[in-house]
Amino acid sequence: DIIPKPPLIVIDGANVAYAYGQAQSLALQNNGNGTTGLRGGPDARGILIACNYFLSAGCRVQVVLPAPWLRNRSSTAPTGSITIAPQLQVLHSLQEQGLLCAAPSTDDDDAYAIMLARREDVRAARRRGGGQVGTNGGASRNDNGGSSSSIIDRGGGFVLSNDQFRDAMSRDKHSANPTGLRDWLEGKTGKLSDHLTCRSGRISYSFSDLASFDEYGDRELDFMPNPRHKLVEDIERHNRAKELSLA
């Protein structure tokens, strides 16, 4: 596995779905339309919108979700899981495309997301040949392997989530063999300059109501990943250049 690959974005599906549902509910209230459906509950459309953002930028995507989210109403899915048919269709479509990782109901889905991203970070460092791969299972983000300064070209793994993973960091810190999870998530494993440019393993995000609508005429919120994250900066720079070339 020595062929360079684009960055892998591991999406915390539950976190994104709940964030979109809450933002959509607020947008409807602000526009005098009240609330419908789950009234701020999880909405799989947010996952799809986030996936499309990164896929259109040439990144790879994996969505991690608890397995019960893929079941119907007759299942033992926990309260709050997505059970509305159109949203299940969204999730099943992602699964058919190989973009979804279903974590067993007895397991911690956050742990799956973090492991996927960190594993890809280590592999990307090895592909570049100049990455520092320590015995703690994390790849340092201060390597300069390759001639390009673009983080898109260097690849690696990232987790998209507004969860700060405090429980996971605490478990890692107090384990017999800590892996430096907090440093990886916050981008402090490299030089100070790397941390200041937000080359962290976690990408935060928001959703904004810009009065956009999908092809069915339903209101659709805009996905806004952290503008200060280095990967997002590169993606937005590329998008602006592309739009200007078409103007």
Side-chain angles (χ1 to χ4, degrees):
D1 188 14
I2 60 174
I3 300 176
K5 295 181 180 180
L8 173 67
I9 312 302
V10 182
I11 296 178
D12 182 349
N15 185 271
V16 172
Y18 273 105
Y20 188 84
Q22 292 169 3
Q24 182 74 292
S25 178
L26 181 60
L28 291 172
Q29 290 178 24
N30 291 339
N31 286 278
N33 296 323
T35 56
T36 59
L38 294 175
R39 293 182 176 272
D43 192 328
R45 289 176 296 175
I47 298 174
L48 182 60
I49 292 170
C51 282
N52 288 338
Y53 174 87
F54 289 108
L55 289 172
S56 65
C59 298
R60 293 172 295 147
V61 168
Q62 275 289 302
V63 179
V64 174
L65 271 175
W69 283 52
L70 300 173
R71 301 174 187 164
N72 56 34
R73 288 184 183 275
S74 62
S75 72
T76 57
T79 301
S81 293
I82 298 174
T83 55
I84 295 178
Q87 299 201 46
L88 278 173
Q89 291 175 4
V90 169
L91 299 181
H92 289 161
S93 175
L94 293 174
Q95 190 174 40
E96 291 171 359
Q97 297 175 65
L99 302 179
L100 194 148
C101 172
S105 59
T106 56
D107 294 353
D108 178 5
D109 54 303
D110 288 347
Y112 279 76
I114 292 171
M115 183 185 71
L116 276 172
R118 298 192 79 186
R119 176 185 291 176
E120 180 57 27
D121 228 23
V122 170
R123 289 175 175 173
R126 287 173 175 162
R127 292 187 197 109
R128 292 192 298 269
Q132 299 175 12
V133 183
T135 56
N136 63 1
S140 174
R141 293 183 176 271
N142 67 337
D143 61 279
N144 295 310
S147 58
S148 173
S149 60
S150 171
I151 196 169
I152 296 178
D153 295 332
R154 288 200 293 268
F158 302 86
V159 176
L160 178 76
S161 181
N162 283 339
D163 187 340
Q164 297 188 35
F165 302 113
R166 290 190 177 92
D167 290 342
M169 290 190 295
S170 178
R171 285 193 297 269
D172 182 73
K173 179 180 179 180
H174 296 98
S175 70
N177 298 293
T179 66
L181 176 59
R182 178 171 184 169
D183 287 344
W184 180 82
L185 287 169
E186 298 180 354
K188 296 179 180 179
T189 56
K191 298 176 182 178
L192 177 60
S193 59
D194 289 336
H195 177 51
L196 294 177
T197 54
C198 290
R199 292 183 61 194
S200 54
R202 185 180 71 91
I203 303 174
S204 53
Y205 66 92
S206 185
F207 288 101
S208 178
D209 181 16
L210 299 181
S212 300
F213 297 87
D214 62 20
E215 62 269 29
Y216 304 107
D218 296 323
R219 184 175 292 273
E220 182 176 276
L221 304 183
D222 278 54
F223 174 63
M224 306 290 291
N226 180 4
R228 295 294 300 276
H229 193 284
K230 187 63 170 63
L231 175 62
V232 177
E233 286 182 355
D234 284 353
I235 291 175
E236 289 297 314
R237 186 181 303 112
H238 172 77
N239 289 344
R240 285 193 297 272
K242 183 177 180 180
E243 290 175 0
L244 288 174
S245 68
L246 297 175

